[in-house]
Amino acid sequence: MIAYYEEQNEEEKERLTEAVKTLFQQTYILERKYDRKTGRMQVNQQFRTCDLHLEFLKAYFAIADLEVREDVRDGIIYLYGGENQIGPKLSEYATKFLLILKVTFDEQMASASTSSHVITSRAEVQEKMAGFHLLTRQPTALDVRTTIRLLKKYQLIEFLENGDDNDLAARFLVYPTIHMVLLGEDIRQLLTQYGTQEGENDDAEV
């Protein structure tokens, strides 16, 4: 494994090192990412690097009992930990926000869209959260800021323009990495669970 790395030229070594760091830090690497300057999806060089050295990366991360997987359809290379948790534990608000993002993504993809991503806003997400009885009170500024930062860090969303992430109307793109986080059955179970809990809480407060 070390021999393979040493066989690369210095430029390729640097690319490979940065790709390893990125996988560790954000779990997912997308083939195409939104570029604010051009307003278009652009090819991600780090994805190309990972794809080129995929077998090396698989052997490297296997030492830490992690799998490197590639989703060819959505263009994602990512770490899979099995029963081992990868990334931070989400707050209740972040979990609910993520659930609605997945529901929104699936709905828009089912509407004969040829795109691999969807666009929405926090206002739309929270409106849908309320519709599922998941939002009975406004989140704190800290809840919002922490949730948005996590979703951006792990390549789940990208804002279309520079601005205040706390802006309810700010539009952001939802990447197909949302498929990697929760499966359909998990979503249905969590929506039912949270909806029931919120209903019980509402009854208790009346």
Side-chain angles (χ1 to χ4, degrees):
M1 188 164 55
I2 298 299
Y4 177 87
Y5 178 81
E6 292 299 335
E7 289 172 0
Q8 311 303 314
N9 60 44
E10 289 305 314
E11 183 178 359
E12 197 62 25
K13 283 181 181 179
E14 290 181 9
R15 288 176 178 172
L16 190 49
T17 297
E18 288 304 311
V20 168
K21 289 180 179 178
T22 300
L23 270 173
F24 263 130
Q25 292 169 357
Q26 66 186 38
T27 306
Y28 308 105
I29 292 184
L30 291 150
E31 183 175 14
R32 298 174 67 84
K33 294 184 65 177
Y34 181 78
D35 182 74
R36 292 182 183 179
K37 292 182 179 179
T38 63
R40 296 180 179 180
M41 300 293 288
Q42 301 284 357
V43 174
N44 182 7
Q45 179 58 51
Q46 284 197 329
F47 181 92
R48 288 183 170 180
T49 299
C50 288
D51 191 47
L52 178 63
H53 303 288
L54 193 58
E55 294 307 313
F56 167 81
L57 292 173
K58 287 181 177 179
Y60 180 85
F61 282 100
I63 297 173
D65 199 24
L66 297 172
E67 292 182 44
V68 177
R69 294 184 173 184
E70 181 174 15
D71 186 311
V72 177
R73 183 193 66 179
D74 289 326
I76 306 167
I77 291 176
Y78 63 101
L79 291 181
Y80 176 75
E83 296 181 356
N84 300 318
Q85 179 179 325
I86 297 179
K89 184 176 181 180
L90 298 178
S91 67
E92 183 174 317
Y93 174 75
T95 302
K96 293 177 179 179
F97 197 96
L98 194 59
L99 284 169
I100 297 302
L101 282 186
K102 182 65 167 67
V103 170
T104 302
F105 190 96
D106 288 346
E107 287 178 349
Q108 292 195 32
M109 287 295 101
S111 63
S113 173
T114 58
S115 176
S116 62
H117 55 270
V118 304
I119 295 173
T120 187
S121 68
R122 187 162 63 87
E124 292 176 1
V125 171
Q126 291 192 180
E127 181 180 355
K128 188 165 289 188
M129 288 171 73
F132 278 99
H133 306 291
L134 301 182
L135 187 68
T136 56
R137 60 187 63 84
Q138 288 299 313
T140 66
L142 179 60
D143 281 336
V144 172
R145 186 164 59 250
T146 302
T147 296
I148 296 301
R149 284 178 178 175
L150 279 173
L151 295 178
K152 289 169 64 177
K153 176 181 178 181
Y154 289 97
Q155 307 297 287
L156 294 166
I157 67 171
E158 184 71 55
F159 280 84
L160 301 181
E161 298 177 355
N162 292 317
D164 185 2
D165 292 350
N166 285 315
D167 181 1
L168 272 169
R171 309 290 289 175
F172 59 83
L173 177 150
V174 184
Y175 285 126
T177 42
I178 197 76
H179 288 314
M180 308 288 104
V181 182
L182 290 170
L183 299 177
E185 188 59 33
D186 296 329
I187 292 172
R188 285 188 287 274
Q189 291 177 358
L190 285 170
L191 284 173
T192 299
Q193 173 188 333
Y194 278 126
T196 300
Q197 289 176 349
E198 294 296 347
E200 290 174 349
N201 290 339
D202 289 345
D203 291 341
E205 291 173 356
V206 171

